[in-house]
Amino acid sequence: LAIGSAALTALALFVTFAQATRLKAIDLQNPAVMAGLFIGGLLPFIFSAFSIQAVSRAAEKMIEEVRRQFREIPGIMEGTGRPEYERCVDISTAAALKEMIVPGLMAVLAPVAVGFLLGPQALGGMLGGSIVTGVMMAIFMSNAGGAWDNPKKFIESGAHGGKGSAPHAAAVVGDTVGDPFKDTAGPSLNILIKLMSVVATVLAPLFVM
């Protein structure tokens, strides 16, 4: 539902952008349009890579903090010591804000740069390319991430050898990749395609001056 909503919103904004810039058609024989298409098709992949790397870096910091607490706070495993939960929450919150600065700037600045440097035709191509690959990537990541994430729970219930088996080790790897796919990269692509369409539509009059 969220992916479909984002796609419809982006398409509606794309039509609004075309009307604001008085684009009757987008000529695929125009080299600038093709350049815009490739840029737009590439952006969801770059954005997804940034978001997945952000999850990885935040997880590494969280692991280091948990290990520190196990070393320095006695009785955690026995239930007699209280872990410092707020430190882990701080790490997660700070990473969520800091790590998305670059992807967020990319989503805002890419339409501005293409619009001013290559013109409204190229920007229309960029929006079209980002919508097509963004929607496909969002559907793929949400479904593949769920498919990779859930087998671990099934195996841990006793199926295929249960915990400690080779299938369980493989499922742990799948869970590690599947979580950022379905919880981070996939849903964030909805915002990417909508945000770029909004920026392009708002600034459309500047690109035809």
Side-chain angles (χ1 to χ4, degrees), residues 100-118:
M100 294 310 291
I101 292 176
V102 173
L105 288 175
M106 182 182 70
V108 173
L109 296 180
V112 177
V114 172
F116 280 118
L117 296 177
L118 300 178

Side-chain angles (χ1 to χ4, degrees), residues 17 30-33 35-36 39 108-124 126 203-204 206-209:
F17 166 80
N30 185 338
V33 172
I39 294 171
V108 173
L109 296 180
V112 177
V114 172
F116 280 118
L117 296 177
L118 300 178
Q121 280 268 352
L123 181 52
M126 192 198 81
L203 299 180
L206 300 178
F207 302 140
V208 293
M209 291 178 62

Side-chain angles (χ1 to χ4, degrees), residues 13-40:
L13 290 168
F14 181 79
V15 173
T16 305
F17 166 80
Q19 292 174 345
T21 53
R22 297 187 292 276
L23 288 179
K24 301 298 182 183
I26 295 178
D27 184 9
L28 293 181
Q29 292 181 326
N30 185 338
V33 172
M34 289 303 297
L37 275 171
F38 278 108
I39 294 171

